[in-house]
Amino acid sequence: MKRILVTGGAGFIGSAVVRLLLAQTEAHVINVDKLTYAANLASLPGAEGNPHYTFEHADICDAEAMRRIFATHRPDAVMHLAAESHVDRSIDGPGDFIQTNVVGTFRLLEAARGYWSSLPAEEKSLFRFLHISTDEVFGTLGDEGFFTETTPYAPNSPYSSSKASSDHLVRAWRETYGLPTLMTNCSNNYGPYQFPEKLIPLMILKGLSGQPLPVYGAGLNVRDWLYVEDHARALVLVLGKGLIGESYNVGGFNERTNIEVVRTLCALLDELHPQGAPHGRLITHVTDRPGHDQRYAIDASKIERELGWRPLETFETGIRRTVEWYLANEFWWRSILDGSYQGERLGLTKEKI
Ligand code: NAD
């Protein structure tokens, strides 16, 4: 694929996708991003000035901007990652989630459909629209079982219900209009360049500054953790080799309770930043998030069987690389902490980094 339009390419996962495409393919990348609080162009070192890269500062809800961008850049494929992505923010203010995740996906689908319909037959048959979604659309699991591609949708938060809505729109645009779409549903990502409102970077930065490490409830909620660069590889593979109309679950084979994750981070900080040791003394339990899903676990056997993907990082290797990255890249997160980010809701308390 020669020209790939990536939405949300200045965000956490989108920037990993753009870095991968620029480093390992010949594709020209068109990054369409509104630059919300979660975006950071510093997550794309070397992209500006790269002849294979174009940045379009635009909102996916803006129908005219999307029409112009498709007409100007004539992409062979779309990788749609732009979204409001933080569950806690969706509880405090669901409006932006409905706007970007539902209305924005609708506008993008319409712009893609208008452009795709106008293509000559061969280009039309090669065009792909890959929608990136989450395992949270499946709801919550008990102690047993895994989410598969056929698990019924049962989203519980404003975030996951807005993503579920966007998944249904993507499916409908394929069934109704024939737009060649594919979809992925992925578990929790972690790794370099993650905005410090999410569990792992939040704990690393609080631990580094000796602040309490707030853990929801008893910390027994289970998530399946995937290193972001493994996710980016999966997405590029699905775009190139996945079948139209299929969805693929992507997971890390790394189930951990939140408290296990935080204890692992404390042990790594004790080793790599011994000034603050023992960091475990900073752990504090805070009131649980309302509607907090108990367990997510992905059955990622389909993408392994059909496309040959497996994560390269184990949780142990990936989490160590992540802590080392945050220690070595203070310039990246310091600029966020010094800027507009004011600390976010955790449990029912207001926390500041
Ligand atoms: P993120 O919040 O880090 O980045 C989102 C990006 O989208 C930002 O750069 C933001 O500026 C951009 N954006 C937001 N609204 C926009 C709009 N209206 N128009 C254009 N750009 C807009 O998110 P992330 O963690 O990188 O997640 C990317 C995608 O992957 C999302 O669709 C998310 O639902 C999905 N996902 C995330 C995870 C995870 O663990 N982070 C897991 C599974 C799926």
Side-chain angles (χ1 to χ4, degrees), residues 11-13 33-34 36 59-60 81 85 100 133 159 163 189:
F12 169 48
I13 302 171
D33 200 297
K34 181 183 171 184
T36 68
D59 185 338
I60 58 168
L81 295 106
S85 69
T100 284
S133 192
Y159 165 66
K163 289 297 291 187
N189 282 220

